[in-house]
């Protein structure tokens, strides 16, 4: 089945140790998004790629970076994780520019910081 | 600043009850309004609304949008315990702006 796959499902890292979360999709959607969702809060958009064009939200910390080497894959890099970065990280995809299309979410990666 | 406000924040009902969840918004560049259901994992898509006054239905769930008054409602009839979840409203303004969600608990 076509889907959005996030790996790993659970990630534990140490304070200050760089970590990379990955997202892949078989939907061939041209837009990919990364959200941060903390406990009991709505998802917060960090950034998105429209094809190869990177769009950063104004309040996304510099500590968060992203890479999209091809249509299918997108990575979230946290350069120096702090305790406040512990959260669920959601990847989503959509077809941009063709009417209005819903986003399809992966199952998320839950990040813990020791 | 774009705003998406959901009410109530939480709701407890019994099986068989009908519930109405509300979402109001103040945004620029409105494209569509979407409802998602989130249980333990990622949000799953329910409805996308772009036109006023056209009800969308899926089984016991239905939703409608009022673009003049800037709100949408999500109705669930004959609720079941499996409907227990957080229901998220999101407005597509080229990015997605999510509301805080309504936590629905359906008791047997």
């Amino acid at each position: 089945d076509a889907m959005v796959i996030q790996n790993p499902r659970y990630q534990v890292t140490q304070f200050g140790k760089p970590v990379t979360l990955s997202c892949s999709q078989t939907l061939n959607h041209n837009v990919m998004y990364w959200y941060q969702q903390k406990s009991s809060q709505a998802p917060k958009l960090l950034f998105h790629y429209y094809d190869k064009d990177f769009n950063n939200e104004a309040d996304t910390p510099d500590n968060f970076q992203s890479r999209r080497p091809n249509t299918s894959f997108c990575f979230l890099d946290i350069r120096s994780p702090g305790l406040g970065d512990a959260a669920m990280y959601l990847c989503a995809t959509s077809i941009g520019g063709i009417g209005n299309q819903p986003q399809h979410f992966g199952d998320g990666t839950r990040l813990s910081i020791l | 600043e774009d705003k998406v406000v959901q009410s109530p924040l939480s709701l407890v009902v019994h099986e068989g009850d009908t519930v109405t969840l509300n979402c109001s918004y103040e945004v620029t560049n409105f494209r569509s309004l979407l409802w998602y259901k989130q249980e333990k994992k990622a949000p799953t898509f329910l409805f996308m609304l772009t036109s006023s006054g056209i009800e969308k239905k899926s089984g016991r769930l239905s939703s409608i949008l009022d673009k003049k008054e800037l709100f949408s409602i999500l109705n669930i009839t004959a609720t079941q315990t499996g409907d227990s979840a957080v229901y998220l409203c999101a407005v597509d303004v080229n990015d997605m702006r999510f509301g805080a969600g309504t936590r629905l608990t359906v008791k047997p």
Side-chain angles (χ1 to χ4, degrees), chain A residues 35 37 42 48 57 100 103 106, chain B residues 31 38 42 48 95-96 99:
Chain A
Y35 289 87
Q37 186 175 25
H48 74 277
E57 291 297 295
N100 296 324
Q103 294 187 3
Chain B
R31 295 177 61 183
Q38 185 170 24
M48 182 169 69
D95 297 332
M96 294 282 274

Side-chain angles (χ1 to χ4, degrees), chain A residues 8-21 36-37 78 80-89 108-114:
Chain A
R9 289 291 314 281
Y10 300 92
Q11 176 74 56
V12 180
T13 192
Q14 292 179 322
F15 183 95
K17 185 175 180 181
V19 66
T20 295
L21 311 182
Q36 179 192 65
Q37 186 175 25
I78 309 176
S80 182
L83 296 178
D85 297 329
M88 172 78 85
Y89 289 87
T109 294
R110 186 168 295 282
L111 178 66
S112 300
I113 314 293
L114 299 180

Side-chain angles (χ1 to χ4, degrees), chain B:
Chain B
E1 184 183 339
D2 295 331
K3 287 183 186 177
V4 180
V5 179
Q6 291 186 245
S7 63
L9 291 182
S10 67
L11 188 56
V12 180
V13 300
H14 288 93
E15 274 192 317
D17 289 349
T18 293
V19 298
T20 298
L21 310 183
N22 302 287
C23 176
S24 64
Y25 61 92
E26 290 180 37
V27 301
T28 55
N29 195 31
F30 176 91
R31 295 177 61 183
S32 62
L33 185 145
L34 299 94
W35 285 96
Y36 288 85
K37 177 182 181 183
Q38 185 170 24
E39 297 170 269
K40 293 183 180 176
K41 296 180 184 176
T44 55
F45 172 72
L46 294 176
F47 298 111
M48 182 169 69
L49 305 157
T50 54
S51 302
S52 268
I54 300 174
E55 186 183 49
K56 293 213 170 178
K57 290 198 73 169
S58 177
R60 296 177 293 103
L61 277 66
S62 64
S63 184
I64 197 162
L65 173 68
D66 186 328
K67 289 171 77 172
K68 182 180 176 186
E69 299 298 329
L70 307 182
F71 76 92
S72 173
I73 59 173
L74 174 68
N75 276 320
I76 309 174
T77 58
T79 52
Q80 302 171 357
T81 54
D83 296 328
S84 297
V86 173
Y87 290 84
L88 292 167
C89 168
V91 177
D92 186 346
V93 295
N94 215 29
D95 297 332
M96 294 282 274
R97 301 296 176 206
F98 281 88
T102 294
R103 181 173 295 278
L104 174 66
T105 303
V106 181
K107 293 189 170 181

